[in-house]
Amino acid sequence: MYENNDAIILGLDEAGRGPVLGPMVIALVKATEKDLKKFEELGFRDSKKLNKSKRNGLYDIIMENYEVKTIILDANEIDSMIEKTNLNNIEIGVFSKLINKVLKEEYNIKKGSVEDVHYNKKIKIYIDACSNDERVFKNKIKSKLILHNKNIEIIAEHGADDKYKIVSAASIIAKVVRDRIIDNYKYIYGEIGSGYPSDRITINYLKKYIKEHGELPDIARKCWKTSKNIVKTNNKRKEESANNNKHHNKKNENNSNKDEREYIQKKLF
């Protein structure tokens, strides 16, 4: 039998749900109940409440000592998926995919069948719920699992990334991975800011890019309201510029015709 301290615990969280630029990173960290004391001692908490240096230090510890799984959805993938569903369902689908990978490993599931299942193996799954209704969120996750029995427990709550240290660990992984991707983008695209709509640097970058290139960069989520507004404003500006040029050309044409008429009149009279 499994002792309570030997129970497998999974923590899941995301980083980059709201930005107009860059990917969303979903992370899973696997540990055991007995690891939680160590997590507490190390100061695990919601990644947003840790400075960059502390996050990077904890990231290294997690990566070296625990099993980690991540899925990265870039801007184009998010745009494509949003056409068919919403952001909550996208997260639920990815969370479920990561959990199922662990269940396949732990329960030795191959090709859709369950082999040599240890039903006494305790698995606790902690998730930072993205839905307003935690119960509905939990049930949607459960419905997508390849296996669910009485020894598999799902705890889905708002603020789980600060309340449960295993979710804090996932939050740290997701945040550091996304931050490093954004830093890499800056080498390619220049200063793009944090990628969030509230970041003036990000907005100015998008406005400048579309003005120079006539379209948004690949790293922008084109389905986001922020992107659509910038495109709309740019198109309006181009239309106004075209109308002004048309008016100017018409005025020049009229002036040219006037000059020509005056020249002819002088010649004739």
Side-chain angles (χ1 to χ4, degrees):
M1 291 289 293
Y2 272 72
E3 296 295 333
N4 187 52
N5 282 346
D6 292 329
I8 295 167
I9 57 172
L10 309 179
L12 295 100
D13 198 10
E14 55 74 26
R17 175 184 168 92
V20 64
L21 286 182
M24 178 164 68
V25 179
I26 300 90
L28 175 151
V29 176
K30 174 185 171 187
T32 63
E33 290 276 5
K34 63 185 177 184
D35 292 313
L36 292 179
K37 184 178 179 181
K38 184 69 174 177
F39 287 5
E40 191 77 44
E41 293 171 354
L42 289 169
F44 281 28
R45 60 188 308 197
D46 175 9
S47 62
K48 297 185 290 295
K49 297 182 179 180
L50 299 170
N51 61 42
K52 185 174 182 179
S53 176
K54 181 68 172 178
R55 280 198 305 268
N56 285 333
L58 292 177
Y59 171 90
D60 290 339
I61 291 172
I62 297 166
M63 293 298 293
E64 290 170 6
N65 296 282
Y66 304 97
E67 184 176 333
V68 173
K69 299 181 187 296
T70 59
I71 291 178
I72 300 170
L73 300 177
D74 65 27
N76 291 328
E77 288 176 297
I78 293 171
D79 283 338
S80 178
M81 297 170 83
I82 283 291
E83 291 179 1
K84 303 172 185 177
T85 185
N86 58 51
L87 200 56
N88 281 356
N89 286 335
I90 290 172
E91 279 193 43
I92 288 168
V94 178
F95 282 144
S96 302
K97 186 175 182 179
L98 288 171
I99 295 167
N100 282 332
K101 286 183 178 181
V102 175
L103 294 181
K104 285 180 180 180
E105 296 165 359
E106 293 300 324
Y107 286 99
N108 195 27
I109 300 173
K110 300 177 181 178
K111 297 181 180 180
S113 63
V114 181
E115 302 175 8
D116 190 28
V117 175
H118 300 287
Y119 284 106
N120 62 331
K121 185 176 291 188
K122 302 285 187 181
I123 299 180
K124 285 182 160 183
I125 304 165
Y126 296 86
I127 313 173
D128 191 22
C130 59
S131 171
N132 290 328
D133 192 322
E134 295 171 347
R135 183 183 60 81
V136 170
F137 176 87
K138 175 181 174 179
N139 288 336
K140 284 185 176 181
I141 291 286
K142 187 186 295 186
S143 71
K144 291 181 177 295
L145 298 186
I146 56 174
L147 177 70
H148 191 271
N149 60 46
K150 64 180 181 180
N151 288 315
I152 298 175
E153 182 181 0
I154 301 173
I155 300 96
E157 298 178 10
H158 299 301
D161 49 359
D162 209 26
K163 184 175 181 180
Y164 302 106
K165 300 309 176 185
I166 187 65
V167 184
S168 299
S171 172
I172 291 164
I173 294 295
K175 173 68 173 168
V176 172
V177 170
R178 177 181 153 79
D179 283 353
R180 290 180 180 181
I181 291 173
I182 294 298
D183 287 342
N184 187 55
Y185 283 166
K186 291 178 182 180
Y187 284 108
I188 302 170
Y189 297 92
E191 182 53 71
I192 63 173
S194 64
Y196 282 84
S198 59
D199 190 334
R200 182 48 50 186
I201 295 174
T202 294
I203 299 303
N204 288 339
Y205 162 76
L206 286 173
K207 289 179 178 178
K208 182 180 178 183
Y209 190 97
I210 196 171
K211 184 177 180 180
E212 294 177 353
H213 300 275
E215 60 183 5
L216 292 168
D218 288 339
I219 59 174
R221 301 180 190 178
K222 298 171 181 63
C223 63
W224 252 233
K225 184 177 180 180
T226 303
S227 292
K228 291 179 179 179
N229 286 341
I230 289 173
V231 170
K232 183 178 179 180
T233 300
N234 184 69
N235 289 342
K236 184 178 180 181
R237 179 187 60 79
K238 287 170 64 177
E239 184 178 344
E240 290 174 349
S241 179
N243 288 336
N244 288 337
N245 288 336
K246 185 178 180 180
H247 177 74
H248 180 72
N249 291 337
K250 183 68 176 177
K251 183 177 180 180
N252 287 341
E253 181 182 344
N254 291 337
N255 288 337
S256 177
N257 291 337
K258 180 181 178 183
D259 292 342
E260 186 176 345
R261 287 196 301 271
E262 290 177 350
Y263 174 78
I264 292 173
Q265 287 175 352
K266 286 179 181 178
K267 282 291 185 181
L268 291 175
F269 304 102

